[in-house]
Amino acid sequence: MPKSAPVAVSLPKSSFAIIFGVSLVTAMGNTGMISVLPAIGRSIGIPDFLVAGVFSLSALLWAGSSPFWARASDRHGRKPLMIIGLIGFAVSMAACAVVVGAGLNHMAHWMVIFVLFLLARALFGLFGAASNPATQAYVAEHTPPAERTTAMSSLAGAFGLGTVIGPFLAPLFILPFIGLAGPMAMFSVIALSMLFVVWKYLPESAHMPVQPVKMAPTMDAKADAAGKETPMWRDPRLKPFLIYGFIVAVCQTAQGQTLGFLIIDKLGKSPTEAQGFIAIAMMFGAMAGLLSQWGIIRMFEMNPRQLLRWGVAVAALGNLIVAFQPSYAAVVAGYAISSLGFGLARPGFTAGSSLAVGMHEQARAAGAIAAVNGVNVVLAPLFVLLYQQVHAAPFVLNMILMLAMLVYAFKNPQLANADPKPATQADSAMATLEKSDEGSL
């Protein structure tokens, strides 16, 4: 009997809950750290643009290592890669806590602390990136195409929920004996707890590739002639989603990392006193993101094409409000509207890219999306420098970029036709290749 292309089945709720937890813990820790970074930087004396640069080396390593971890998850399984990612996250957070503690106690010059902070965070970029492609591929392998957008938006909801919980918990973890280093230490402990849950209770994916697979015939001419796979960032099926996703991720990261400085300066309070106000703003933004991913997408049964358009349109409006805000309340409202838009756009390009490739390519596609979501952070310091010159400038630039992506979503054929299909072309091509191979045996 000839083999057919793999068919996804429903993901067990218990397995999805664990995968959701992996993404939740990572998002919670990262956004919790982002919420306290302005206070940490100004307490230690690190310049604002370098505070944003703490994530730069980590982001480059994340982008470079994500494709490697995606391929490794095909060879070694989704579960082992999630475990590696959680270990990398926990160790990185613990190391960051030690470095920040040393800086707050003036045990070294701020430049030395900054370099050590950069290296401690880099551990996450190198090893923490292992879990992201594995979680996304696990969900895709157990979800039929018609349900992929909803599944991906639910998984993206882990990020949204984490951005609510992280900034909320971070001020509570600022303990007397370790101060601003407390949040990172506690997030490390939480990650180790999640690591045990994955190791003990998560079954391996039953639908991941069991042997090396042939690429669907979508390679460019040069790669085809050489018999090589097209790098995912050059694959014409994925390239528009990666471009769109990169710009959206750049704008969301830039806004998130600039927000804390804007609130500190607007309120005229000390970094520590302003921390609660920063957390409130980030929580409202996170709840708006959850509303989009768990409410609006499901209520209106939105497909990737609609998400790609509405997401950037709403985000552009939110950035316009933040740029010319008259008060702290307006900053919070504008940030929430922006987050609502980003909450629509992210599942749009994530689900759209997943649907654009075959089942056997899910990990590689997830690795490409993870790389895009990581490397954008490198540009955040430039937005902070721009903020230091003109406070409204980063948000105006964000608005312009979001409007450009709105035009791109309408004009690009791949994005304009991003809808779930009963079976992707790549899956059909893969089935044809497998049948012809078996017929020749």
Side-chain angles (χ1 to χ4, degrees):
M1 292 289 292
K3 296 178 182 177
S4 60
V7 178
V9 296
S10 297
L11 180 64
K13 291 183 179 180
S14 58
S15 296
F16 181 79
I18 295 173
I19 293 171
F20 186 92
V22 173
S23 298
L24 172 66
V25 167
T26 304
M28 186 169 62
N30 286 334
T31 54
M33 177 188 282
I34 289 173
S35 73
V36 297
L37 269 182
I40 289 172
R42 292 193 173 179
S43 297
I44 295 175
I46 302 174
D48 290 353
F49 77 97
L50 287 182
V51 172
V54 164
F55 288 89
S56 297
L57 178 59
S58 175
L60 288 174
L61 291 172
W62 176 285
S65 63
S66 288
F68 166 79
W69 292 122
R71 292 191 296 270
S73 74
D74 279 341
R75 292 194 302 269
H76 304 295
R78 312 305 185 203
K79 179 177 176 177
L81 271 294
M82 292 183 209
I83 290 174
I84 291 173
L86 285 169
I87 292 174
F89 176 79
V91 172
S92 174
M93 278 290 181
C96 287
V98 172
V99 171
V100 169
L104 294 172
N105 287 286
H106 308 291
M107 297 175 66
H109 189 270
W110 69 260
M111 180 59 75
V112 175
I113 296 298
F114 168 74
V115 172
L116 292 176
F117 200 177
L118 195 70
L119 295 175
R121 176 64 186 177
L123 292 173
F124 172 70
L126 189 58
F127 296 102
S131 62
N132 194 284
T135 56
Q136 185 174 319
Y138 196 114
V139 171
E141 287 165 349
H142 292 77
T143 311
E147 301 174 13
R148 193 76 51 80
T149 303
T150 300
M152 290 300 180
S153 66
S154 296
L155 184 60
F159 175 82
L161 184 59
T163 56
V164 173
I165 298 175
F168 172 76
L169 290 179
L172 302 180
F173 291 155
I174 300 176
L175 306 173
F177 53 95
I178 52 176
L180 289 167
M184 286 158 283
M186 294 305 299
F187 288 133
S188 177
V189 173
I190 293 171
L192 291 176
S193 301
M194 193 67 227
L195 171 64
F196 173 79
V197 173
V198 171
W199 170 75
K200 184 73 174 177
Y201 298 108
L202 181 67
E204 182 54 88
S205 173
H207 302 285
M208 58 172 288
V210 294
Q211 58 184 358
V213 295
K214 298 179 179 66
M215 290 295 295
T218 56
M219 296 158 30
D220 60 36
K222 292 182 180 180
D224 192 21
K228 297 179 180 179
E229 294 181 353
T230 301
M232 277 295 182
W233 58 270
R234 288 175 55 192
D235 191 316
R237 299 168 298 169
L238 283 181
K239 191 173 182 179
F241 294 101
L242 297 179
I243 293 172
Y244 178 99
F246 175 74
I247 299 299
V248 167
V250 164
C251 292
Q252 185 175 18
T253 301
Q255 187 185 42
Q257 294 207 18
T258 310
L259 181 73
F261 298 114
L262 175 65
I263 291 174
I264 291 173
D265 293 335
K266 187 153 197 72
L267 295 177
K269 296 180 179 292
S270 71
T272 303
E273 290 174 334
Q275 187 56 50
F277 294 92
I278 295 172
I280 290 171
M282 295 188 74
M283 285 172 58
F284 270 95
M287 288 188 289
L290 282 178
L291 174 63
S292 63
Q293 291 159 355
W294 287 357
I296 295 175
I297 293 175
R298 292 173 180 271
M299 183 184 303
F300 296 102
E301 299 181 346
M302 299 178 75
N303 59 40
R305 182 182 68 244
Q306 294 167 324
L307 295 174
L308 292 170
R309 295 172 181 178
W310 279 102
V312 290
V314 174
L317 174 62
N319 274 278
L320 175 64
I321 294 173
V322 175
F324 300 105
Q325 31 67 35
S327 64
Y328 168 74
V331 173
V332 175
Y335 183 66
I337 292 172
S338 298
S339 299
L340 181 71
F342 291 130
L344 296 173
R346 277 187 173 272
F349 71 77
T350 301
S353 64
S354 175
L355 291 165
V357 301
M359 188 64 68
H360 63 293
E361 300 170 285
Q362 290 300 319
R364 294 180 66 244
I369 292 294
V372 162
N373 285 331
V375 73
N376 74 86
V377 180
V378 176
L379 299 179
L382 299 180
F383 282 79
V384 176
L385 282 173
L386 188 60
Y387 167 79
Q388 291 177 335
Q389 302 304 313
V390 180
H391 284 3
F395 310 105
V396 172
L397 179 56
N398 272 2
M399 180 189 68
I400 294 171
L401 290 173
M402 290 297 90
L403 292 176
M405 287 301 97
L406 178 60
V407 174
Y408 189 51
F410 275 97
K411 295 293 186 181
N412 182 270
Q414 285 289 95
L415 302 183
N417 297 296
D419 286 315
K421 306 292 192 303
T424 64
Q425 292 180 352
D427 282 329
S428 300
M430 191 62 202
T432 302
L433 287 171
E434 289 177 338
K435 289 178 181 178
S436 64
D437 285 346
E438 292 209 355
S440 64
L441 291 177

